Amino acid sequence: MSEHIKVEHRGAVQMIRLDRPEKKNAITRAMYVAMTEALKAGDADPAVRCNVFLGVPGAFSAGNDLADFLAYSTDGAHGSEAFDLLEALARSEKPIVSGVDGIAVGVGTTIHLHCDLTFATERAWFHTPFVDLGVTPEAGSSLIAPLLMGRQQAFALLGLGEPFSAERAKACGLIYDVVAEDELEEAVFHAAERICAKPPEALRIARDLMRGDREELVVRIREESRLFAARLTSDEAKAAFQAFMTRKKG
Ligand code: COA
């Protein structure tokens, strides 16, 4: 349970909302647990036909809580919560639609690689500064992003850590569509309802075919997770987390 994850059912749609606006929806360990539980519960519930991920106005998510990363880098207090969510996403049984307004950093971007349709507003931007933080790509992104976007765009995203605008994200296949801010939730919900109206078994088979081998993805997520965890204790990462936590705001 986390007060920062709100789960709501609208008909056959399960809405999972990140709701920690004061920290730009930075994701804590409790939030990962709550999202994993909701996703698995939705997959197990025959009344749910589609899962939806949403943030708050201006922030889908600022990524993993850097205070948690800093704690791990100094005292090893890291759990498997993030990786449990990533595996649940990789193994998800039902279509996932997401909506992004504003920032989508780190896992706030890579989560959408596991979604079937992602809508973003014009002011959305996608940023994975893993290397700049001294860490490495996660969430299966090193496997999915090159397939989805081509090697060079994937390198710009995951290697150079270039922020991608919504338009650029759409042009390279990272997201499905760009909509106005006041139309985002309606667009997401409408897409989810269209999914719910399809014959579920045929859609499940079609989705499984398109997503390919889940085991290969899970193996990659585990390999990335091992490397990521090792990098968290590196001097490069410690310095980057410390710099963020102690920065002075202008
Ligand atoms: N972890 C922990 N706290 C975070 C956070 C994160 N990932 N991202 C933002 N916050 C907190 C800030 O510390 C600040 O808290 P405070 O008001 O108590 O000082 C609050 O959220 C608002 O963030 P702020 O930086 O003031 O907002 P902004 O609009 O100026 O900038 C970002 C937004 C996302 C660009 C900036 O916060 C940022 O770069 N965050 C880190 C993103 C990141 O590196 N994530 C990890 C990826 S692996």
Side-chain angles (χ1 to χ4, degrees):
M1 290 289 287
S2 166
E3 60 181 315
H4 299 124
I5 298 294
K6 304 279 187 316
V7 180
E8 181 196 345
H9 288 210
R10 282 198 217 162
V13 181
Q14 174 169 259
M15 323 272 282
I16 304 170
R17 186 186 299 278
L18 292 82
D19 189 21
R20 194 190 181 204
E22 69 284 3
K23 294 289 182 186
K24 306 279 175 180
N25 279 352
I27 306 176
T28 60
R29 296 165 69 171
M31 290 166 73
Y32 283 116
V33 172
M35 287 192 281
T36 306
E37 283 175 2
L39 199 56
K40 287 185 172 173
D43 276 347
D45 182 350
V48 172
R49 293 216 186 163
C50 181
N51 288 293
V52 160
F53 281 100
L54 289 168
V56 295
F60 178 79
S61 173
N64 201 99
D65 191 303
L66 288 174
D68 284 353
F69 275 170
L70 183 62
Y72 177 70
S73 72
T74 52
D75 65 18
H78 192 61
S80 66
E81 297 87 354
F83 304 128
D84 293 344
L85 174 65
L86 302 176
E87 285 207 22
L89 285 164
R91 295 188 190 281
S92 65
E93 302 272 339
K94 294 175 184 170
I96 307 173
V97 183
S98 57
V100 178
D101 182 38
I103 57 174
V105 184
V107 69
T109 284
T110 54
I111 194 172
H112 307 291
L113 297 170
H114 299 274
C115 296
D116 300 287
L117 294 172
T118 297
F119 294 83
T121 65
E122 285 156 12
R123 67 175 178 176
W125 54 278
F126 299 83
H127 188 202
T128 53
F130 298 122
V131 171
D132 292 317
L133 289 169
V135 294
T136 43
E138 38 69 302
S141 58
S142 65
L143 181 70
I144 305 173
L147 290 174
L148 198 66
M149 311 160 72
R151 282 268 298 281
Q152 306 234 343
Q153 293 296 327
F155 185 81
L157 183 75
L158 299 174
L160 296 182
E162 277 181 13
F164 277 43
S165 68
E167 282 303 338
R168 183 175 175 189
K170 183 180 173 184
C172 67
L174 182 61
I175 64 169
Y176 174 63
D177 207 1
V178 182
V179 296
E181 278 151 49
D182 59 356
E183 290 169 7
L184 178 67
E185 301 222 353
E186 194 187 322
V188 167
F189 189 60
H190 179 62
E193 283 195 307
R194 282 174 62 201
I195 287 168
C196 294
K198 300 291 176 194
E201 194 55 19
L203 188 59
R204 186 188 64 74
I205 295 167
R207 181 176 184 264
D208 282 352
L209 285 167
M210 285 185 276
R211 288 170 80 89
D213 185 353
R214 287 157 194 253
E215 291 315 310
E216 183 191 9
L217 179 55
V218 168
V219 166
R220 179 62 67 98
I221 288 172
R222 288 184 182 158
E223 173 67 357
E224 288 173 342
S225 302
R226 188 182 64 74
L227 294 166
F228 193 101
R231 290 300 307 168
L232 281 175
T233 56
S234 67
D235 289 343
E236 289 172 350
K238 277 185 203 168
F241 303 150
Q242 195 72 49
F244 180 78
M245 299 314 294
T246 56
R247 82 204 151 126
K248 303 244 181 315
K249 291 193 190 175

